Amino acid sequence: MKRKRIDKALLFILPSLVGFIIFYIWPFIISLGYAFVDSPIKGQFIGLDNFRNLFYNKSYLMGLKNTLIFMGISIPLITALALAVALFIKKINKYKAILTFILLIPLVIPSGSMVFFWKKFFEYNGYLNNLLGAVNINKINWLESSIVQYVIILIFIWKNIGYNIILFIAGVSNIPKEYYEAASVEGANGIQRLFRITLPNLLPTFFLVTIMSIINSFKVFKEVYLITGSYPHESIYLLQHFMNNMFKSLNYPKLTTATCILVLIITLVTQFLFRLEKKVLT
Amino acid sequence: MKKLIALLLAVVVISATACGNNSATKTADADKKVDTKSSQNENSSKNEDSNESPINDKIQGEITVSTNNPQEAKYLEEAVKSFNKKYPEVKVNIDSYNKPAERKSTTTQDGNTVDLIMQGDHRKNLDEYINKINTEMMSGKGADIYSMGDLPYYKYAANNQLEDLSKFMDKDKEFNIEEYRKNIIEGVKYNGGQYMLPLDYGFNYISYDEKLLNDMAKKIMEDKNAFSYDELADIGMESFKNQEGDPKKRAKLFNTKGSQSMFNNLFKQSYTEFVNMQDKTVDFNEKFINRLKQSKKYEQEGYIDKKLDMSDPNAIIAKIMNNELSKCLFQSNFHDTLLNAYAGDQQVGVKVMGLTDDKDHKPAGLLKNSKGEITYDVNQCYAINSNSKNKSTAWAFIKFLLDEKIQTSSELTGLPVNNKAFNEKAKLKITGDLYKNDRTNDVTELNEEQQKIYDKFVHKLNEYSSMLNKYQIKDNMIDKMINTEVDKYFEEGKDANEVTKNIQNKVSLYLNE
C-alpha cells in the first residue's frame, strides 16, 4: 500500500487555513444562497433575477464605475511613483534607511488616528482652507465636491506607497549587477538601462505590486467610510459603500449578488494577470 | 493552483473590505430600502397564510415588547398591570433600550413649582437600537412586539419582517374599527398593508392674533380652515408692516425662533414635494433652495425671532412667568394648547404655555402643503414581529393598548385613537384630573361651564382630526442627510445651491440602492 506523504509545509499552515475556511470561505459559501432569493426572510427562489436587476440598479452601477475609475487612476499612479522613489533610494548613498522608514510610517499608523487628521485637514473649516484663507484664496469644498476623489487618491498613495517601494527595492536588488556593467561597457545610457534592463527584470515585481495595489485599493474604503460616511459625494461612492449599506440594511440578496459578481471579476483579473506574467516571462 | 489562489484572493478582498464595518465607527447607517416592487407581490401572498388563524390561538405564554423610548415604557408598564388582571397567566416583558428623560423642577417666586422635562435623547442612539433589532430579526428572534415610533417601519414591512395586522383586525370579532379614528389608523398603511397600529396621534394648528391682524386678513382666516406658510405670509404681511412703535418690539410674523427652525417647519410641510417614498424619487429643486434662502430672509427682515438660547432653562421659565414673551401674528401650536383657546379665564387643569404671548390668539386651521396634504404624527405605534412565536397573544396585547380606559392614561401623550378615550381625556384635561394618580371614575362628570368648554373644544378637535389626511413615512437616514447639509448652510454659511445639490445626490443615491 502506498503511503501518501503529507507535505510538512501544509501542517504548518493548517491552523491558519482552518481559520480562513471557517471565517472567510464557509460564510461566503453559505451566504451565496441569498443571491438566489428575493428576501432574506421567507425568501422564494427567483433564479438569476437578482443578478439581472443589479445591472439596472443606479447606485450599484455608480459604485462600479467609481471603483473602476479610482483603480484606473490610483494603481498606475502609485506603481509609477513607487518605482520612481525606489530607484531614487537605490541610487542615493546617504539616508537610505531613514527614508525607507519614513515612507513606511503611514502603513503602521492606525486608520482612526489617520482619519482624524485628514478630516481636520480637508474639512470646509479645516487647516488647509484656513491656510488658503491666509493667502486670500477662497475656501474649497474638498470633501463634498468632485475634488474629493483626488483627496482619496492622495490618501491611498500616502498610505500604501511605502509597501510598494519596499517591493520594488527588493526587486531591483535582485537584478544582477553584471547586467548593468555589461550595458555600461556596451555604451548604454541611463534611459536605455532603465528600459532594457531594469523594467524587464522587474516584471514579476510589477505583477506583484499590481495585485497588492488592487487589494489595497479596496481596503481604502475604510478611510473613505470614516471620513465621509455611508453616503459620500457621488464621485467616491464605491462598490464597498453599496455592499456595506446593503449589509446594514439586511438586504442580503443584493449584497451577496454584488459580492458574487465582484469575486468573479477579481478572479478573472488575477487569472489574466497570472497568465500575462507567464506569457511575458517566457 | 494559481486559479485557487486567484479565487481565494478574491474572497479575502471581498470579505476583508466589504462587510460589517460596525467596529470602525459609531455613526452606523442601519436602514435601507428594499425594492418594493418585488416585495409588493410578496406582501399580499406571504402575509396572508390562509391556513393560519392567529385569533383562534389561546392567549397565553410570554411576550416581549421592545421600545427605545422610556416614556413609552412607562405607558406599557401601566398597560401590563391591567392586562394581567384580564390575562393573569400571560407574562409581558417590557424591554426599554433607554433610561427615562431627566426632569428639572424649579420653584418660582410665588411658590409655584414648574417642572421642565428635558427632551429625552432616546433618539441619540437610534442607530445602535436599529442595529440591535435588525440583528435580532435576522437571527430569527427578537421581541414579539416592536414600537415603531422612531423606526422606518416601511423597510421592515417591505422585508416581510412585520405582520400585516389587517388579518388580525378582520378576523377578530372583538375589534371594531369604527370605535377608533379610522383615518389615523388607515393613514399609516404601507402598500395596502397595516403593518403597525398607532395608539395616539398629534398635529399642529395655526392661530392668529385677533388684535394685530387687519379686518380683511381676519376675514380670510375665519373663512378658511387650512393654510400654507406662504399663504399666511401673504395674508399677514400688510398688518405686519403697518405696525407702529419701536421696530425691535413689534410683533413677529411667525412664532418660530431662528431661521433653521423656520426652514424645518417649511420643509416639514412640503416634504412630499421633494421626496416621494413610494416611487423612490427625489427632486430637491429651485423651490428647496428658495426655502433655505427664505428662512434666512425671514430672520434678517425681522419676521421671526432669533434662535432661542436653551443653555439656561431658568431664564426661559422666568420670561414665561414674568410675561416677557414676544407677540406674533401667526403661531403654529401643538394640539395640546387648543384647550387654552376655549377655556378663556376658566381654570382648566394644567395650562400648556408656549414661548410667545398668545393671549389674543384664536385658532384658525391647519397647515397644508401645495398638494393639499395635511400631515399628522403618530406617537406610539406598535407592530408584530414576523418571527414571533406567540402572535395571538401579541395581537391581544396591542388590541388592549387601544382599550378605552388604558388610552386615558396621562402617559399616552397624544390624542387617543379610541373615540371614547378621546372624549374622556378631553374632559380630564378640562377638570385637571388627567395627571391624578388616584382616578377611580370611568366617566368624568362636568359642571355647566366645563361642559360648554368641552363642547367647543371637542368639536374643534374632531374637526381638525378629520382633516388629517397624510402620515409622512419617516426615514431617519434621509432626515439625517438633509439636517447635516442644512446645518452647513445655516451654521457654516455654505452655498444654498451646493447644499441642495449634495442633498439631491445623497438622498437619490440612498433611495436607489
Side-chain angles (χ1 to χ4, degrees), chain B residues 237-364:
Chain B
M237 194 53 70
E238 197 182 320
S239 306
F240 174 75
K241 286 186 172 168
N242 290 342
Q243 288 182 88
E244 291 166 357
D246 184 1
K248 286 182 186 172
K249 289 186 181 173
R250 283 187 207 160
K252 302 297 176 189
L253 188 60
F254 297 111
N255 67 316
T256 319
K257 310 288 182 200
S259 50
Q260 195 159 354
S261 294
M262 187 74 231
F263 171 78
N264 290 341
N265 290 344
L266 290 169
F267 178 65
K268 189 182 170 186
Q269 284 311 121
S270 50
Y271 189 91
T272 54
E273 294 172 33
F274 304 111
V275 183
N276 186 326
M277 300 290 264
Q278 305 291 339
D279 298 342
K280 291 193 218 173
T281 54
V282 293
D283 188 15
F284 289 91
N285 47 27
E286 203 58 42
K287 200 171 177 184
F288 187 84
I289 297 171
N290 289 340
R291 288 283 184 226
L292 287 169
K293 293 179 178 172
Q294 181 186 14
S295 309
K296 255 194 184 169
K297 184 188 163 194
Y298 274 16
E299 187 176 331
Q300 285 160 359
E301 301 281 321
Y303 296 173
I304 57 174
D305 264 328
K306 288 193 188 336
K307 191 175 165 181
L308 212 57
D309 180 7
M310 296 299 288
S311 60
D312 185 6
N314 288 333
I316 296 168
I317 293 170
K319 267 192 172 179
I320 296 170
M321 301 312 291
N322 298 333
N323 288 323
E324 289 170 1
L325 301 170
S326 55
K327 284 177 171 270
C328 61
L329 268 63
F330 301 110
Q331 179 164 286
S332 171
N333 310 275
F334 196 49
H335 67 261
D336 256 359
T337 62
L338 197 54
L339 180 56
N340 298 350
Y342 299 103
D345 294 328
Q346 294 291 325
Q347 189 67 25
V348 285
V350 175
K351 192 171 170 70
V352 181
M353 295 185 288
L355 296 171
T356 45
D357 178 358
D358 56 1
K359 61 177 182 299
D360 296 319
H361 271 244
K362 189 178 168 187

Side-chain angles (χ1 to χ4, degrees), chain A residues 58-59, chain B residues 280-282 284 481 502-513:
Chain A
K58 288 180 193 167
S59 299
Chain B
K280 291 193 218 173
T281 54
V282 293
F284 289 91
M481 285 176 184
N502 280 345
I503 293 173
Q504 170 73 23
N505 290 338
K506 286 188 181 185
V507 178
S508 179
L509 194 60
Y510 171 71
L511 288 176
N512 284 316
E513 272 186 340

Side-chain angles (χ1 to χ4, degrees), chain B residues 425-471:
Chain B
K425 215 162 181 183
K427 290 180 185 175
L428 287 168
K429 282 180 182 173
I430 292 168
T431 60
D433 293 336
L434 180 60
Y435 297 99
K436 277 189 181 168
N437 293 330
D438 55 351
R439 273 190 273 146
T440 49
N441 296 338
D442 284 347
V443 179
T444 304
E445 297 292 329
L446 300 175
N447 62 33
E448 200 180 321
E449 280 303 318
Q450 287 172 334
Q451 187 65 44
K452 284 181 191 169
I453 295 168
Y454 169 81
D455 289 339
K456 288 182 203 168
F457 175 49
V458 166
H459 170 77
K460 195 52 78 175
L461 268 184
N462 278 323
E463 178 193 327
Y464 288 166
S465 295
S466 60
M467 286 167 66
L468 304 170
N469 58 20
K470 181 77 182 170
Y471 170 70

Side-chain angles (χ1 to χ4, degrees), chain B residues 140-261:
Chain B
K141 293 170 189 169
D144 298 275
I145 299 172
Y146 282 104
S147 162
M148 288 284 140
D150 293 324
L151 303 176
Y153 86 95
Y154 71 98
K155 290 186 178 176
Y156 298 105
N159 263 345
N160 299 319
Q161 285 158 326
L162 301 177
E163 287 290 304
D164 184 350
L165 299 177
S166 31
K167 67 181 178 197
F168 295 89
M169 290 157 68
D170 294 343
K171 289 181 182 173
D172 189 342
K173 289 171 189 163
E174 288 178 5
F175 184 85
N176 181 4
I177 189 80
E178 301 303 326
E179 292 175 10
Y180 309 98
R181 289 271 165 200
K182 208 170 166 184
N183 62 324
I184 302 297
I185 290 178
E186 291 183 347
V188 305
K189 278 184 174 182
Y190 177 72
N191 279 351
Q194 188 80 50
Y195 296 102
M196 65 175 187
L197 215 51
L199 303 190
D200 59 341
Y201 64 101
F203 59 85
N204 276 36
Y205 70 94
I206 288 293
S207 64
Y208 65 95
D209 193 309
E210 284 186 291
K211 292 190 177 171
L212 292 173
L213 276 189
N214 61 33
D215 290 337
M216 195 165 78
K218 275 195 283 194
K219 179 92 178 43
I220 299 172
M221 295 306 288
E222 281 158 17
D223 290 346
K224 293 175 72 169
N225 63 2
F227 311 87
S228 66
Y229 269 106
D230 292 334
E231 282 172 353
L232 290 172
D234 285 339
I235 293 166
M237 194 53 70
E238 197 182 320
S239 306
F240 174 75
K241 286 186 172 168
N242 290 342
Q243 288 182 88
E244 291 166 357
D246 184 1
K248 286 182 186 172
K249 289 186 181 173
R250 283 187 207 160
K252 302 297 176 189
L253 188 60
F254 297 111
N255 67 316
T256 319
K257 310 288 182 200
S259 50
Q260 195 159 354
S261 294

Side-chain angles (χ1 to χ4, degrees), chain A:
Chain A
M1 204 163 69
K2 258 190 185 173
R3 249 182 124 181
K4 226 178 176 180
R5 283 185 65 197
I6 302 169
D7 196 335
K8 282 179 188 169
L10 193 64
L11 288 173
F12 280 104
I13 66 168
L14 198 60
S16 298
L17 188 63
V18 166
F20 179 70
I21 290 169
I22 291 172
F23 294 107
Y24 284 92
I25 303 293
W26 181 240
F28 177 69
I29 291 169
I30 58 174
S31 68
L32 277 178
Y34 286 116
F36 301 98
V37 295
D38 58 354
S39 170
I41 295 176
K42 300 176 194 168
Q44 289 182 351
F45 180 76
I46 52 167
L48 295 174
D49 278 359
N50 281 332
F51 292 89
R52 249 192 303 273
N53 292 336
L54 201 62
F55 286 99
Y56 290 101
N57 187 305
K58 288 180 193 167
S59 299
Y60 175 76
L61 293 174
M62 181 185 287
L64 186 62
K65 181 189 95 177
N66 288 338
T67 304
L68 291 173
I69 290 173
F70 174 75
M71 288 166 73
I73 298 173
S74 61
I75 292 172
L77 195 57
I78 198 175
T79 307
L81 283 172
L83 177 64
V85 173
L87 292 174
F88 173 75
I89 290 175
K90 275 304 277 181
K91 209 168 181 177
I92 59 172
N93 295 320
K94 273 174 141 182
Y95 309 121
K96 267 186 184 167
I98 197 157
L99 249 178
T100 314
F101 172 74
I102 289 169
L103 289 164
L104 277 177
I105 287 174
L107 211 55
V108 299
I109 295 176
S111 295
S113 317
M114 192 180 75
V115 152
F116 178 77
F117 165 74
W118 286 122
K119 212 169 170 177
K120 286 287 170 196
F121 189 74
F122 281 113
E123 61 188 6
Y124 195 65
N125 291 320
Y127 303 135
L128 185 56
N129 275 342
N130 285 342
L131 210 64
L132 292 175
V135 291
N136 289 327
I137 297 174
N138 285 337
K139 284 184 183 180
I140 297 172
N141 204 346
W142 298 100
L143 299 178
E144 289 287 350
S145 66
S146 53
I147 295 173
V148 70
Q149 53 188 327
Y150 303 109
V151 170
I152 300 306
I153 289 172
L154 171 70
I155 293 172
F156 167 72
I157 291 172
W158 177 84
K159 185 171 169 72
N160 297 293
I161 197 169
Y163 186 74
N164 291 352
I165 288 169
I166 297 297
L167 291 175
F168 276 125
I169 289 175
V172 168
S173 301
N174 282 335
I175 301 172
K177 284 185 187 152
E178 293 78 29
Y179 291 4
Y180 292 104
E181 286 164 4
S184 295
V185 166
E186 295 291 324
N189 61 28
I191 304 284
Q192 285 170 323
R193 285 200 299 271
L194 174 70
F195 283 96
R196 297 293 175 93
I197 300 172
T198 311
L199 293 183
N201 282 283
L202 278 180
L203 273 174
T205 313
F206 267 116
F207 282 108
L208 178 59
V209 164
T210 303
I211 290 171
M212 294 312 297
S213 297
I214 290 174
I215 294 172
N216 291 330
S217 72
F218 282 103
K219 283 186 181 174
V220 83
F221 166 71
K222 190 163 47 170
E223 284 79 23
V224 175
Y225 179 82
L226 290 173
I227 294 172
T228 57
S230 289
Y231 294 93
H233 186 267
E234 54 180 0
S235 62
I236 55 164
Y237 179 83
L238 304 172
L239 264 183
Q240 292 98 313
H241 282 104
F242 178 82
M243 293 193 285
N244 198 52
N245 293 340
M246 290 300 101
F247 175 77
K248 286 182 175 175
S249 60
L250 310 179
N251 196 335
Y252 289 179
K254 270 190 190 165
L255 167 64
T256 47
T257 310
T259 309
C260 286
I261 294 172
L262 196 54
V263 166
L264 196 63
I265 293 173
I266 292 173
T267 308
L268 290 172
V269 166
T270 45
Q271 269 299 288
F272 168 74
L273 285 172
F274 282 135
R275 279 172 198 256
L276 184 65
E277 183 192 7
K278 200 176 177 181
K279 197 176 179 182
V280 165
L281 291 178
T282 54

